Amino acid sequence: MVSPVTVVKSEGPKLVPFFKSTCVYFVLWLPTSTPSWFSALIKCLPIFCLWVFLLAHGFSFLGARSSARKILAGLIFSAIGDAFLIWQEQGYFSHGLLMFAITHILYSSAFGMKPLNLRAGLVTGVVSGLSYVFLYPYLWGPFTYLVGVYVALIGFMSWRAVAGVQLTGDLWTWTKMSACLGAALFMVSDLTIAVNKFCFPVPHSRAIIMATYYAAQMLIALSAVECQQEAEQEEARKKTT
């Protein structure tokens, strides 16, 4: 198992640009009522930094690990979705929804289908179902179906992230826990968006949405990189035996 201290020492410096750009976003706190390419850039900048974070581990790392490539692709679609949501009041909300739906499909594929863990699937399914039941009376037109599909996709992604977490023995990994926490925070962020948009104003909604969103994306990106640490340890063990 990779020590958390090892992960912090190895990956922490590479995440400094991400933390700085996140601080820039919250310091500037650009008003949502005046969308612009500058505000889109500031909003997307932390996600751009996560692209660089993954690319900094080398093209050989990405070439050897399909899960890391899929997470990188998910981050790319996330940035496009973020840009669309800057102009959501101008009719681009559904475009952003589509981009994040693709992101969740890519993340689900990256997390894989093993172990299946039907108990985790039942729990995430119930949470997703209850969320949609709560939102349903407030939805209208195509959003009735679009939001339903989106909830199903993020619920499936969360299932695959949670399914991999096993808390005992050598099966425990920081990779899987990072993915699990990231998926949970993503659900919190998206549910807050939905409630605030379709149901009623959520106090401090923007702070909740963006803080949980950036944390979720960082954890999911970190889960891909930690695979490298585990692979290096495994390679070292093979060489010594």
Side-chain angles (χ1 to χ4, degrees), residues 28-48:
L28 292 180
W29 205 251
L30 300 170
T32 55
S33 58
T34 56
S36 67
W37 285 108
F38 179 69
S39 59
L41 174 63
I42 296 301
K43 184 181 181 184
C44 295
L45 193 56
I47 306 303
F48 294 158

Side-chain angles (χ1 to χ4, degrees), residues 1-236:
M1 181 183 72
V2 179
S3 164
V5 176
T6 301
V7 174
V8 171
K9 287 182 177 179
S10 174
E11 308 304 335
K14 301 185 187 75
L15 284 169
V16 169
F18 165 80
F19 289 120
K20 287 183 176 180
S21 59
T22 302
C23 289
V24 167
Y25 172 83
F26 284 107
V27 168
L28 292 180
W29 205 251
L30 300 170
T32 55
S33 58
T34 56
S36 67
W37 285 108
F38 179 69
S39 59
L41 174 63
I42 296 301
K43 184 181 181 184
C44 295
L45 193 56
I47 306 303
F48 294 158
C49 290
L50 291 178
W51 297 4
V52 175
F53 170 71
L54 288 178
L55 291 169
H57 292 81
F59 289 104
S60 60
F61 163 72
L62 292 171
R65 294 167 180 83
S66 63
S67 60
R69 293 195 303 274
K70 290 169 184 175
I71 287 175
L72 176 59
L75 289 168
I76 292 171
F77 278 100
S78 293
I80 299 171
D82 282 332
F84 275 129
L85 292 180
I86 288 288
W87 284 275
Q88 61 177 292
E89 299 303 326
Q90 285 72 38
Y92 288 96
F93 182 81
S94 58
H95 297 71
L97 201 67
L98 175 60
M99 294 300 103
F100 280 106
I102 295 172
T103 294
H104 295 316
I105 292 171
L106 287 164
Y107 286 170
S108 299
S109 180
F111 299 148
M113 291 301 296
K114 294 181 181 180
L116 193 60
N117 198 339
L118 293 177
R119 183 178 298 178
L122 178 62
V123 172
T124 54
V126 168
V127 171
S128 299
L130 290 175
S131 299
Y132 184 66
V133 167
F134 174 79
L135 294 169
Y136 183 80
Y138 300 94
L139 301 175
W140 68 89
F143 285 118
T144 303
Y145 309 103
L146 291 175
V147 172
V149 172
Y150 186 85
V151 169
L153 287 174
I154 193 172
F156 184 81
M157 183 273 289
S158 299
W159 170 31
R160 297 322 311 147
V162 174
V165 177
Q166 300 183 57
L167 301 177
T168 57
D170 295 334
L171 297 175
W172 161 270
T173 69
W174 284 94
T175 303
K176 294 172 181 176
M177 182 54 71
S178 293
C180 175
L181 292 175
L185 288 172
F186 222 134
M187 288 192 76
V188 171
S189 179
D190 281 356
L191 182 59
T192 306
I193 290 175
V195 172
N196 189 66
K197 181 174 179 64
F198 297 111
C199 305
F200 48 80
V202 177
H204 311 294
S205 60
R206 190 171 172 209
I208 295 169
I209 290 164
M210 297 311 298
T212 52
Y213 170 69
Y214 285 142
Q217 294 283 35
M218 181 199 69
L219 288 166
I220 290 172
L222 187 60
S223 76
V225 170
E226 193 181 344
C227 293
Q228 184 184 42
Q229 303 294 330
E230 292 169 356
E232 288 172 354
Q233 286 195 354
E234 181 64 25
E235 189 69 23

